Amino acid sequence: MQILHKKIGIKMMKLLIFVDSHGNKKIMRRLKSLSKKVDLVICAGDFTVMEKNMNKILKDLNEFYSPVLMVPGNHEDEIELGKLCEKFENIIYIHKGAHHFEDYVFLGYGGGGFSEADPDFKRISENFFKNEIKGKKRSILVLHGPPHGTKVDMINNGYAGDKNFRKFIDESQPHLVVCGHLHENVGKKDKIGRTLIINPGPKGVIVEI
């Protein structure tokens, strides 16, 4: 378990974070069991293989013991997933949006993972995300693709992450960034200033923040 930024007087929250589970039933059973131990679950996308059995997997996620915050990966269409998530009361779709819980704000931006620049993220982060984190004691950014220039996007001796993600992290310093997409970097983490960046992989990691 990773403990982040523990300070006296701030209520801590336990999160189960995972990504790239790709419909693995055994992993889903493990994650459901772990969800008993946390306040919230975060899925950073690619929970299917090209949307196969997507409704069934969402039904399983809806039965987790804690609410599930979700963004799409590159295997899920953002519009279709958004529509399906509306059917499930225990799943909160945060792609291109924000979810506020007490002194916490969760920012979501999924999909992609194949380019070094995302103009849409740049626009949303500058016009929306930066305002959402004002006054919050804890901010968590949920991505699918990784930010540029870290251990979580290093592949084939080069960096493959998104530079717009990195710029937002450099400037806004969210407390935690959850990402995935590059299976080679499962379990890796890095820090940019106070920001902890984690690729938790499909089996999930519990963090306290």
Side-chain angles (χ1 to χ4, degrees), residues 63-121:
E63 295 175 356
F64 277 25
Y65 296 97
S66 299
V68 180
L69 306 186
M70 171 171 289
V71 299
N74 55 281
H75 277 247
E76 296 91 32
D77 177 79
E78 64 177 87
I79 296 175
E80 182 64 21
L81 178 57
K83 291 178 180 177
L84 287 175
C85 285
E86 292 177 359
K87 297 166 49 179
F88 300 103
E89 62 181 18
N90 201 42
I91 298 175
I92 303 168
Y93 189 61
I94 62 169
H95 177 54
K96 298 181 180 178
H99 175 69
H100 292 263
F101 182 82
E102 296 180 353
D103 289 327
Y104 293 76
V105 59
F106 298 83
L107 310 172
Y109 194 89
F114 297 100
S115 66
E116 291 189 354
D118 189 327
D120 199 24
F121 176 85

Side-chain angles (χ1 to χ4, degrees), residues 1-18:
M1 181 184 296
Q2 178 76 36
I3 299 177
L4 311 181
H5 314 293
K6 188 168 184 178
K7 294 182 180 180
I8 297 173
I10 297 177
K11 181 181 178 182
M12 307 298 284
M13 178 181 288
K14 285 185 179 181
L15 308 173
L16 170 61
I17 58 177
F18 76 98

